[in-house]
Amino acid sequence: MKTISNKSKIVFLSTFPPTQCGIATYTQDTIKGITDVYGKSIKCEICELVDKPKEKPTQAFTLNTKNREEYAKTAEEINKDDAVKLVHIQHEFGLFSGNYGDYLLDFLNVIKKPVTFTFHSVIPNPNNDLKTFVKLLLSYSNSVFVMTNKSKEILVNDYEIDEKIITCVPHGTHIVVYETPAQAKEKLNIEDRLVLSTFGLLGEGKNIETGLQALPKIIEKAPNALYLIIGKTHPNLIKDGVDTYREKLEGIVEELKLENNVRFINQYLDTDELLEYLKATDIYMFTSKDPNQAVSGTFAYAMSCACPIVASKIPHTKEVLTPDSGILVDIGNVDQFAAAAIKLISDENLRHEMGINSFTKMRASSWENAAIIHINTYKNLIENPSEIKHSYPAIQLNHIKKLTTELGIIQFSKISIPDLDSGYTLDDNARALIAFCMHYKLTQDKEDLAYILIYLDFIQRCQKPKGDFINYVDQENREHIEQNAEVNLEDSNARAIWALGTVVSLSDILPEAIIKKATKCLLNSLKWTETIQSPRSIGFATKGLYLYHATIPNLYVAAIISKLNAKLLANYEDTATEDWQWFENYLTYGNGILPESMLYAYLITNKPIYKKVALDSLDFLISKTFADGNFKAISNQSWHHKGSEPSQYGEQPIDVTYTIQTLNTFYNAFKTPHYKKKMKAAFNWFLGKNHLNQIMYNPVSGGGYDGLEKENINLNQGAESTVCFLTARLLMEKLALSQSRVIPLMKSRTGIAINS
């Protein structure tokens, strides 16, 4: 029977939970990553590999790997589903029956869908039979994923596989909210212990005994050391209820009198529990004894949770673990394990630095980023790859709330830990106020009101008697003359006007007391606002004044908008040429606010020149920030100067969000589909459509990463980047909702509709 579906399906041949094995977990996490990032257009299904008949199948397809007849039969069943676009085989020797698992060839001879593999083992120096078999497998697909560069090198050199068909995707890791071990230990009631740990399905290959034998020397240095051995014994190793390997380990603990320093956690922990233990770990002990182990998920998870690591030398650890993130030792060498652990115990700063380096390095390998690599390869294998679309992540307020105190939103964050010493700025509180107003308009969540009031009170606190504002306040609520003189106060002041106008524009849903406070603050600022000179400040202020005027018509406010934008228009007329239709001789940051300001001026004055400049300058900006349908922010390395080639790299979330905001305003005004399409393309920058193919946010907390550099992402999640990501996400949510229902629009006097 053929299935009708509006989503493309990917079928994974793999073991799958509740089966307890590494490949089952890997497949589950891979599918979750793909679903989280692309679930809008892709559905992942399982062809579950079992070794005996299953009475009640729980997955879309089931293959009993011991029964040769089922291989062809299962392939025929998959062929019948027209929605299936690709079959992805998770390959490990031993999963499939026959010589080297050659029963799988019966499946491959029948399947008509494109096929790809993930090789979980790549055995070096193969004999002729193994080499021939691997080459035969790949002749059916011309595509294979491996998890390390070493595995790729072995396939090319030892198996003579064309490197063009090999995709290297690091073993995925879970994104966590960074905590110091001390913070994480409190949740587990082990804050008084120095924690060493290891985890995984236990078996001889884990070589846990090496860690136990090193422990007496470690205890001499740190009597409070606690070695956590986390995980059940592999089910295949328990015979007639007897767990021989665990009994062996328990015997070593008893013999060495380690009962007070070793704790067995004999459970198959869910992911969240496991990650909490890893975050509480001071030193991770990776003791594997397999010199050919291509990859270790346990090792990758430990690094991603900021664990300093002492690790056996296997291909994966030798490739990934650099001296700045851990210490490599010889397999099974008890003295080296002990000495390395003692070195880390003796230097807390070194442990901290190694943990941060590990955490930073592994963020590129998150399951979400692994999903992007998978899909980019899938697109080369399937029909109609353009049908694959990004899904939008859930709207998360956890991090922005974590950054907010009773005074306001804290300026910076060290990874995800708010940096109180960085103080508070008018800029950030204005941005946060706008974002929470947007969220409240979208959700009517009463919890938002407390935050709206905090940010509004901060703006009011920064206002001076003449109506202008200071920008910086320290954590003790003190002003600093030097810092308030060093920054461009016009921009921050004008952002405050924008935020205040945003509040007033929601007078139909926000409490009257909040509206009155914002109105008073904005009206007090008007005398100063008239004097603004810098182009972006004019744009920010114009947006706030327009939102105010559209809600409470005010001739004085309209006159200020006209006066300010006459200055901006003069800038344009002085600078613009046929091939440089812009207001300045360079493009810097937040460029979209300038064409947007021209549009607001047109809506107020109805002068055609403002409309023309608005449209022309936006077209020019789009030509400089979009290429091949993808968004690329103006580099903050040296900006883009007229007549010169733009610099590469150094992209910030604020530029992406301002572009989306501007496109949203123009789309609401003119309903041109082109603008909506560009909005989506710009937002995809956050979702991995950038030169590193990595997401630019923390999906667990909603934190926004501070910047996209040439080879890495700045993982600090300060107020500006976090608020910008939230703002962009809310705009895309509103856009999606507007396509399914009518959203009330604010009418200007020209009759063109503009969303607030």
Side-chain angles (χ1 to χ4, degrees):
M1 182 179 75
K2 293 187 177 182
T3 302
I4 298 174
S5 173
N6 59 355
K7 292 185 181 181
S8 298
K9 291 182 182 178
I10 310 295
V11 172
F12 287 77
L13 257 68
S14 178
T15 54
F16 200 74
T19 299
Q20 295 177 3
C21 75
I23 291 178
T25 303
Y26 179 90
T27 305
Q28 183 182 45
D29 288 333
T30 299
I31 287 174
K32 185 179 185 303
I34 291 172
T35 302
D36 286 348
V37 181
Y38 297 98
K40 176 181 179 181
S41 54
I42 287 182
K43 181 179 181 182
C44 296
E45 292 187 338
I46 294 295
C47 175
E48 187 175 12
L49 304 178
V50 297
D51 57 8
K52 55 188 174 184
K54 198 164 185 179
E55 290 184 12
K56 294 182 178 180
T58 56
Q59 302 300 330
F61 307 96
T62 304
L63 170 58
N64 179 359
T65 57
K66 301 292 187 185
N67 184 345
R68 187 162 190 169
E69 293 179 358
E70 285 201 15
Y71 285 81
K73 180 181 175 183
T74 302
E76 289 171 352
E77 289 177 2
I78 294 172
N79 285 338
K80 292 175 184 177
D81 190 341
D82 291 339
V84 175
K85 306 302 180 186
L86 180 75
V87 174
H88 191 151
I89 300 171
Q90 301 294 314
H91 184 274
E92 178 66 278
F93 295 101
L95 274 184
F96 304 97
S97 298
N99 187 29
Y100 293 122
D102 64 359
Y103 284 14
L104 181 58
L105 297 176
D106 292 3
F107 176 92
L108 294 170
N109 282 322
V110 174
I111 195 71
K112 295 179 181 178
K113 310 289 184 178
V115 171
T116 186
F117 293 88
T118 292
F119 280 178
H120 288 264
S121 289
V122 180
I123 300 170
N125 306 310
N127 59 36
N128 285 335
D129 288 346
L130 176 57
K131 179 178 176 179
T132 300
F133 178 69
V134 168
K135 293 182 76 171
L136 180 58
L137 280 183
L138 292 182
S139 72
Y140 286 91
S141 70
N142 287 320
S143 172
V144 61
F145 292 88
V146 294
M147 291 178 234
T148 63
N149 289 316
K150 182 64 177 177
S151 293
K152 180 177 181 178
E153 182 183 309
I154 293 169
L155 282 180
V156 171
N157 295 332
D158 295 7
Y159 291 84
E160 299 172 356
I161 303 300
D162 185 353
E163 67 175 319
K164 293 178 183 176
I165 74 167
I166 305 170
T167 302
C168 189
V169 52
H171 191 294
T173 54
H174 295 279
I175 291 178
V176 299
V177 176
Y178 174 77
E179 293 178 304
T180 63
Q183 291 171 312
K185 286 177 193 177
E186 290 181 16
K187 304 174 192 174
L188 300 171
N189 295 318
I190 51 174
E191 53 263 53
D192 59 338
R193 308 299 294 265
L194 187 137
V195 177
L196 301 90
S197 75
T198 190
F199 86 92
L201 290 171
L202 301 193
E204 292 286 349
K206 298 289 186 186
N207 201 23
I208 305 298
E209 49 268 42
T210 296
L212 292 174
Q213 289 160 359
L215 198 54
K217 287 187 178 179
I218 294 171
I219 293 171
E220 289 179 16
K221 178 66 178 177
N224 67 332
L226 176 64
Y227 190 18
L228 300 176
I229 301 172
I230 305 166
K232 295 180 68 173
T233 305
H234 198 292
N236 295 345
L237 300 180
I238 300 176
K239 306 296 183 184
D240 300 321
V242 178
D243 189 343
T244 305
Y245 184 65
R246 188 173 296 274
E247 288 179 357
K248 172 185 172 182
L249 297 180
E250 290 171 345
I252 295 173
V253 170
E254 186 175 347
E255 177 187 344
L256 297 177
K257 297 181 173 56
L258 300 173
E259 290 89 348
N260 292 328
N261 299 92
V262 176
R263 184 179 299 174
F264 289 95
I265 301 173
N266 186 12
Q267 300 175 50
Y268 191 81
L269 297 179
D270 67 38
T271 301
D272 290 340
E273 287 182 285
L274 172 62
L275 297 176
E276 289 298 330
Y277 276 108
L278 291 177
K279 288 197 288 183
T281 296
D282 293 292
I283 302 170
Y284 187 81
M285 304 286 278
F286 180 77
T287 52
S288 172
K289 66 179 182 181
D290 181 358
N292 294 320
Q293 184 176 354
V295 69
S296 166
T298 62
F299 165 72
Y301 281 18
M303 284 193 73
S304 73
C305 287
C307 297
I309 296 180
V310 180
S312 301
K313 295 174 182 174
I314 66 166
H316 191 191
T317 60
K318 287 192 288 185
E319 182 171 315
V320 176
L321 194 68
T322 49
D324 64 354
S325 52
I327 301 173
L328 289 169
V329 298
D330 294 331
I331 289 174
N333 191 314
V334 172
D335 290 339
Q336 287 185 17
F337 266 99
I342 289 169
K343 178 180 178 180
L344 294 179
I345 289 168
S346 304
D347 192 338
E348 184 177 354
N349 287 334
L350 178 62
R351 294 202 308 273
H352 176 74
E353 289 173 9
M354 283 185 169
I356 293 292
N357 291 333
S358 291
F359 181 91
T360 302
K361 182 181 295 185
M362 297 307 286
R363 192 52 60 243
S365 66
S366 73
W367 288 112
E368 291 81 0
N369 291 332
I372 293 169
I373 297 174
H374 277 94
I375 293 297
N376 286 343
T377 297
Y378 291 170
K379 285 180 176 180
N380 296 324
L381 304 173
I382 67 176
E383 295 180 359
N384 302 318
S386 62
E387 294 178 358
I388 298 176
K389 307 291 185 185
H390 283 91
S391 300
Y392 295 157
I395 296 169
Q396 292 274 11
L397 303 181
N398 294 352
H399 187 60
I400 192 170
K401 289 183 175 181
K402 184 177 177 181
L403 283 169
T404 303
T405 70
E406 292 180 355
L407 180 56
I409 190 166
I410 299 165
Q411 185 174 191
F412 297 137
S413 182
K414 294 177 179 178
I415 305 185
S416 54
I417 299 176
D419 181 8
L420 272 170
D421 290 340
S422 67
Y424 306 81
T425 67
L426 180 67
D427 271 331
D428 292 329
N429 281 273
R431 293 188 191 101
L433 179 54
I434 293 166
F436 264 84
C437 283
M438 292 173 64
H439 188 264
Y440 186 71
K441 184 176 181 180
L442 196 67
T443 66
Q444 307 284 293
D445 184 346
K446 297 299 183 185
E447 289 188 13
D448 291 349
L449 296 176
Y451 291 88
I452 287 171
L453 194 56
I454 286 172
Y455 307 135
L456 179 57
D457 282 347
F458 185 88
I459 292 174
Q460 186 182 51
R461 180 257 177 270
C462 290
Q463 191 165 37
K464 297 191 291 186
K466 291 184 179 180
D468 58 337
F469 303 84
I470 62 165
N471 186 51
Y472 179 79
V473 174
D474 72 11
Q475 62 174 305
E476 304 297 334
N477 198 13
R478 296 173 302 197
E479 300 175 18
H480 290 251
I481 295 174
E482 302 84 6
Q483 284 178 280
N484 281 305
E486 288 172 2
V487 297
N488 182 345
L489 288 179
E490 268 202 350
D491 274 12
S492 58
N493 276 235
R495 279 199 189 90
I497 308 288
W498 175 6
L500 294 169
T502 300
V503 173
V504 175
S505 74
L506 300 185
S507 59
D508 57 332
I509 58 172
L510 284 174
E512 185 180 357
I514 288 177
I515 300 300
K516 283 183 175 180
K517 184 176 291 193
T519 300
K520 181 180 178 181
C521 206
L522 186 144
L523 293 177
N524 286 344
S525 72
L526 293 182
K527 281 290 183 186
W528 170 84
T529 306
E530 284 189 72
T531 68
I532 295 175
Q533 298 296 325
S534 71
R536 276 158 196 75
S537 300
I538 288 173
F540 300 144
T542 294
K543 189 162 186 174
L545 294 175
Y546 178 83
L547 291 170
Y548 178 89
H549 177 69
T551 308
I552 307 173
N554 184 308
L555 291 177
Y556 180 34
V557 169
I560 295 174
I561 293 173
S562 182
K563 180 179 179 181
L564 292 178
N565 284 276
K567 299 177 190 177
L568 193 56
L569 179 61
N571 276 32
Y572 182 87
E573 291 174 337
D574 287 345
T575 307
T577 60
E578 187 175 343
D579 58 356
W580 187 267
Q581 295 179 323
W582 198 243
F583 306 84
E584 302 165 303
N585 286 317
Y586 42 77
L587 292 165
T588 59
Y589 82 103
N591 298 295
I593 195 65
L594 303 185
E596 195 174 345
S597 190
M598 289 284 95
L599 177 55
Y600 291 127
Y602 167 64
L603 296 175
I604 290 294
T605 67
N606 208 24
K607 291 180 179 179
I609 184 62
Y610 285 125
K611 179 180 178 182
K612 183 179 188 309
V613 172
L615 293 169
D616 289 348
S617 60
L618 179 58
D619 286 345
F620 172 77
L621 180 60
I622 287 172
S623 75
K624 299 299 182 184
T625 52
F626 286 86
D628 300 322
N630 296 328
F631 180 82
K632 188 170 183 64
I634 300 298
S635 167
N636 66 1
Q637 302 298 319
S638 61
W639 306 122
H640 182 187
H641 291 263
K642 184 179 182 179
S644 65
E645 287 298 312
S647 297
Q648 300 295 308
Y649 314 115
E651 300 179 51
Q652 294 185 301
I654 188 170
D655 295 304
V656 189
T657 297
Y658 278 9
T659 299
I660 294 170
Q661 288 173 318
T662 297
L663 290 165
N664 178 63
T665 301
F666 275 74
Y667 176 69
N668 289 329
F670 302 112
K671 297 303 176 189
T672 307
H674 172 70
Y675 296 136
K676 182 171 67 174
K677 184 177 179 181
K678 292 296 184 187
M679 280 178 71
K680 293 177 179 179
F683 188 73
N684 285 346
W685 181 91
F686 287 108
L687 306 182
K689 270 286 188 178
N690 50 61
H691 74 269
L692 290 183
N693 291 316
Q694 294 183 34
I695 62 171
M696 287 297 298
Y697 63 94
N698 184 316
V700 179
S701 68
Y705 297 143
D706 276 0
L708 178 71
E709 306 301 337
K710 182 178 180 180
E711 296 177 349
N712 67 283
I713 287 170
N714 182 340
L715 296 181
N716 292 331
Q717 295 149 57
E720 179 183 294
S721 53
T722 294
V723 173
C724 283
F725 172 65
L726 174 61
T727 301
R729 177 65 187 88
L730 291 169
L731 281 167
M732 301 315 294
E733 186 73 6
K734 186 174 71 171
L735 182 68
L737 289 172
S738 70
Q739 294 171 7
S740 59
R741 62 180 173 83
V742 177
I743 289 184
L745 298 176
M746 189 177 292
K747 291 286 183 178
S748 77
R749 288 181 299 179
T750 62
I752 293 180
I754 296 288
N755 272 304
S756 61

